[in-house]
């Protein structure tokens, strides 16, 4: 088992290397995924640059690039400059492989309900990065698995399971991101504190246990937020996804459908002939054997 830290989030390091007559800004891509970095000059005095600002460069995975060299315009005077930088992960315009197989991102004998999807009422998936994301209601401690083969590129593990739907919790979710061979990546969000079973740089296969579900970050109840994402023209976007289940063929996750890794009634709502309602027999959007028996009137 690899050594796993509480948080492995360092993707990019940007630093200024001072020389005798000039300063050189370099960027080190510490990750397994290409990164586009943009430098913006915030303040400067008496400088000349080797390239014009703002500066945007694509840095391949694991590589180091010189971004700009800055020196004094008037060699008799001192010079200074300050800048900020932003970055986006992913190879621009990566396309999801049509033949890629995704398995359901959890392992359990229970049946779980999709509580948020692109076709239903939207509570928190308002931007491009989450448009096609899904929320799957499940109890904390449920095994979360990789939906597709890939390499772990981010692993955040340290936040407590005390989530609330309040702005200050938006950056306090535990999550794992897995890069796929076509340049897309999957996101597993709201994971249980210290439950990660993987490390950045680790290769995983579809169905590999990676963590436990939790209730960290911006959330109203325990669930797994799952998304497939890509870099599209400089924007992180989510992509539609279909899961493959050996017993049920292709599963399209839509609002208020039910998902199962083994039951034959996965991806369908319980029968309308049930004697009792889902609401009466299930808890937190979860159907287990007891709930199904309850609905049948037993």
């Amino acid at each position: 088992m690899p050594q796993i830290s509480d948080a492995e989030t360092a993707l990019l390091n940007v630093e200024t290397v001072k020389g005798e007559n000039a300063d050189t800004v370099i960027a080190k891509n510490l990750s397994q995924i290409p990164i586009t970095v943009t430098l913006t000059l915030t303040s400067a005095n008496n400088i000349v640059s080797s390239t014009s600002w703002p500066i945007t460069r694509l840095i391949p995975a694991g590589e180091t690039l010189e971004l700009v060299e800055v020196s004094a315009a008037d060699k008799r005077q001192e010079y200074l400059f300050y800048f900020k930088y932003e970055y986006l992960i992913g190879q621009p315009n990566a396309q999801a492989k049509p033949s890629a197989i995704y398995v359901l991102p959890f392992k359990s004998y229970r049946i779980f309900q999709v509580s948020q999807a692109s076709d239903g009422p939207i509570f928190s998936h308002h931007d491009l990065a989450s448009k096609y994301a899904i929320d799957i209601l499940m109890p904390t401690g449920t095994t979360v698995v990789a939906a597709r083969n890939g390499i772990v590129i981010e692993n955040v593990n340290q936040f407590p399971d005390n989530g609330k739907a309040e702005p200050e919790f938006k950056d306090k979710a535990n999550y794992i991101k897995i890069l796929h061979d076509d340049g897309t990546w999957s996101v597993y969000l709201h994971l249980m504190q210290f439950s990660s079973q993987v490390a950045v740089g680790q290769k995983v296969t579809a169905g590999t246990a990676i963590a436990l579900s939790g209730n960290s970050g911006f959330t109203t109840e325990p669930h797994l937020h799952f998304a497939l994402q890509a870099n599209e023209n400089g924007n992180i976007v989510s992509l539609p996804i279909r899961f493959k289940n050996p017993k049920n063929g292709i599963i399209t996750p839509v609002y208020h459908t039910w998902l199962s890794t083994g039951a034959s009634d996965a991806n369908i709502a319980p029968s309308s002939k049930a004697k009792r309602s889902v609401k009466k027999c299930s808890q937190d959007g979860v159907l287990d054997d007891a709930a199904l028996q309850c609905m049948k009137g037993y």
Side-chain angles (χ1 to χ4, degrees):
M1 178 63 66
Q3 294 293 318
I4 302 170
S5 66
D6 291 349
E8 300 172 284
T9 59
L11 300 181
L12 182 72
N13 181 45
V14 177
E15 60 181 332
T16 302
V17 178
K18 291 191 171 293
E20 185 175 349
N21 299 308
D23 293 345
T24 303
V25 180
I26 63 172
K28 299 179 181 179
N29 185 342
L30 306 174
S31 74
Q32 302 284 332
I33 188 171
I35 290 177
T36 300
V37 61
T38 298
L39 272 59
T40 304
L41 197 63
T42 57
S43 127
N45 182 49
N46 186 38
I47 71 165
V48 60
S49 300
S50 60
T51 189
S52 58
W53 298 76
I55 300 162
T56 299
R57 296 286 297 277
L58 176 65
I59 309 173
E63 293 195 10
T64 299
L65 294 183
E66 293 186 2
L67 302 180
V68 62
E69 185 177 270
V70 180
S71 58
D74 182 348
K75 305 299 183 183
R76 299 167 298 178
Q77 303 290 329
E78 293 185 351
Y79 70 97
L80 60 84
F81 68 103
Y82 299 95
F83 64 89
K84 64 180 181 178
Y85 68 91
E86 300 175 325
Y87 67 87
L88 284 176
I89 65 173
Q91 182 72 35
N93 300 319
Q95 299 291 318
K97 186 185 297 183
S99 61
I101 296 175
Y102 301 86
V103 302
L104 288 167
F106 61 86
K107 184 177 181 180
S108 175
Y109 67 91
R110 296 181 174 185
I111 304 174
F112 299 140
Q113 188 177 51
V114 176
S115 62
Q116 191 171 192
S118 60
D119 67 313
I122 299 302
F123 170 67
S124 58
H125 300 174
H126 297 291
D127 57 13
L128 291 173
S130 60
K131 178 179 179 181
Y132 292 106
I134 59 171
D135 287 346
I136 308 171
L137 296 177
M138 61 180 63
T140 58
T142 302
T143 299
V144 176
V145 305
R148 180 178 165 187
N149 299 350
I151 299 174
V152 177
I153 55 172
E154 289 190 67
N155 179 35
V156 175
N157 198 32
Q158 77 271 24
F159 295 111
D161 294 278
N162 61 348
K164 294 181 180 179
E166 298 177 3
E168 60 266 31
F169 284 81
K170 287 188 175 181
D171 61 352
K172 293 179 173 59
N174 301 314
Y175 66 90
I176 291 171
K177 291 183 182 179
I178 297 176
L179 175 66
H180 310 133
D181 61 7
D182 56 11
T184 65
W185 61 91
S186 49
V187 182
Y188 310 77
L189 191 70
H190 306 303
L191 303 176
M192 180 184 289
Q193 185 181 37
F194 304 137
S195 72
S196 174
Q197 300 175 39
V198 296
V200 167
Q202 180 179 340
K203 292 183 179 180
V204 296
T205 56
T208 299
I210 59 174
L212 300 178
S213 66
N215 193 39
S216 58
F218 188 86
T219 173
T220 58
E221 57 189 325
H223 70 281
L224 174 68
H225 172 104
F226 177 83
L228 175 65
Q229 295 181 328
N231 183 333
E232 184 178 283
N233 298 316
N235 294 303
I236 303 301
V237 301
S238 59
L239 306 172
I241 189 168
R242 297 191 302 168
F243 297 108
K244 183 175 178 61
N245 187 304
K247 294 186 178 181
N248 303 289
I250 299 300
I251 299 172
T252 301
V254 295
Y255 177 63
H256 268 190
T257 52
W258 299 78
L259 303 176
S260 169
T261 56
S264 60
D265 51 0
N267 198 43
I268 59 172
S271 170
S272 59
K273 297 180 180 179
K275 295 183 178 180
R276 299 192 183 101
S277 68
V278 175
K279 184 176 182 181
K280 183 175 181 179
C281 293
S282 68
Q283 295 183 354
D284 302 324
V286 175
L287 283 184
D288 54 17
D289 289 340
L292 290 172
Q293 292 297 314
C294 167
M295 293 173 63
K296 292 177 181 178
Y298 302 137

